[in-house]
Amino acid sequence: EAAVTQSPRNKVAVTGGKVTLSCNQTNNHNNMYWYRQDTGHGLRLIHYSYGAGSTEKGDIPDGYKASRPSQENFSLILELATPSQTSVYFCASGDAGGRGEVFFGKGTRLTVV
Amino acid sequence: GDSVTQTEGQVALSEEDFLTIHCNYSASGYPALFWYVQYPGEGPQFLFRASRDKEKGSSRGFEATYNKEATSFHLQKASVQESDSAVYYCALTGPGYNKLTFGKGTVLLVSP
């Protein structure tokens, strides 16, 4: 069973603070993704990675950084958190061999106050 | 860039009703098309895909047919159950299957 684990599951951060969301996958997938989910917007891609050491900008990268130090781990970093970044964040993994099927974690609910 | 449009934001049905959720796409090239489903408290999960014109994807009684001319991939189910209540996402990916673009999602509420 494909497994993607996100931590923390819930986070409250202060405006201007630094936030790091972590993701670990045991699927040995090359590709990993960070999405945010907001009512009225659906799932929007923030950053993604093709493998260790690589990061690519998605559709809404402003205000976010990503880090892929290993095949298994992919982090999303908010250097200066703002209330507009309050959202539910999903990490996912997949590869071309899966023909587009990606596996999502359970999500992290981030509230910036 | 690529985009996916889901017409309905919310659909409310009774058990055994027929379901249609409309999905249209805009993409360069020949995308693969997907439906994902998300239950409360969970991440989205793959339902099925179709990769070429006129191909039908299906799973758990849901189905959709790739229509390249109409740029559509509408989700249908003949008889919905209360357990089908969830958010449904249409998505596409380009060659290489490296990046999924999702629609805004449709909330399906099925009452007994």
Side-chain angles (χ1 to χ4, degrees):
Chain A
E1 179 75 16
V4 178
T5 304
Q6 295 183 230
S7 62
R9 293 293 315 279
N10 291 281
K11 173 77 176 178
V12 178
V14 296
T15 298
K18 182 177 180 178
V19 177
T20 299
L21 306 183
S22 299
C23 179
N24 176 273
Q25 56 109 351
T26 59
N27 309 318
N28 199 31
H29 288 155
N30 290 328
N31 300 341
M32 295 186 74
Y33 310 85
W34 278 106
Y35 289 88
R36 64 177 284 177
Q37 182 179 51
D38 303 284
T39 302
H41 291 280
L43 290 158
R44 293 181 290 173
L45 182 64
I46 306 170
H47 284 289
Y48 60 107
S49 168
Y50 291 126
S54 90
T55 60
E56 304 288 336
K57 293 181 179 180
D59 299 319
I60 54 163
D62 293 345
Y64 303 93
K65 292 183 179 179
S67 174
R68 182 87 182 269
S70 65
Q71 178 84 339
E72 297 79 18
N73 295 295
F74 191 39
S75 298
L76 185 68
I77 303 151
L78 290 67
E79 294 278 5
L80 294 170
T82 69
S84 64
Q85 294 175 313
T86 292
S87 186
V88 180
Y89 292 84
F90 286 96
C91 178
S93 75
D95 59 32
R99 295 173 56 217
E101 180 177 359
V102 299
F103 298 86
F104 284 84
K106 292 183 178 292
T108 294
R109 183 173 297 277
L110 173 66
T111 303
V112 183
V113 299
Chain B
D2 297 346
S3 66
V4 176
T5 301
Q6 293 180 233
T7 307
E8 299 89 358
Q10 182 169 304
V11 174
L13 297 173
S14 299
E15 281 193 321
E16 301 183 8
D17 281 352
F18 187 90
L19 168 71
T20 299
I21 298 176
H22 295 92
C23 172
N24 288 89
Y25 69 91
S26 173
S28 57
Y30 208 136
L33 303 175
F34 302 80
W35 280 100
Y36 277 74
V37 59
Q38 183 180 24
Y39 299 102
E42 301 287 327
Q45 55 185 263
F46 173 83
L47 194 54
F48 57 81
R49 76 169 68 81
S51 303
R52 59 186 183 275
D53 191 23
K54 299 181 177 55
E55 179 181 359
K56 179 187 286 187
S58 64
S59 177
R60 309 183 208 173
F62 293 91
E63 62 181 36
T65 300
Y66 195 135
N67 186 327
K68 192 172 189 299
E69 182 177 15
T71 63
S72 69
F73 193 54
H74 305 318
L75 181 69
Q76 294 186 320
K77 186 175 186 183
S79 177
V80 295
Q81 302 300 310
E82 189 177 6
S83 58
D84 293 327
S85 297
V87 181
Y88 291 82
Y89 287 97
C90 186
L92 65 79
T93 184
Y97 300 102
N98 281 323
K99 177 185 166 187
L100 269 177
T101 297
F102 287 86
K104 294 184 178 181
T106 299
V107 176
L108 172 63
L109 299 171
V110 181
S111 55

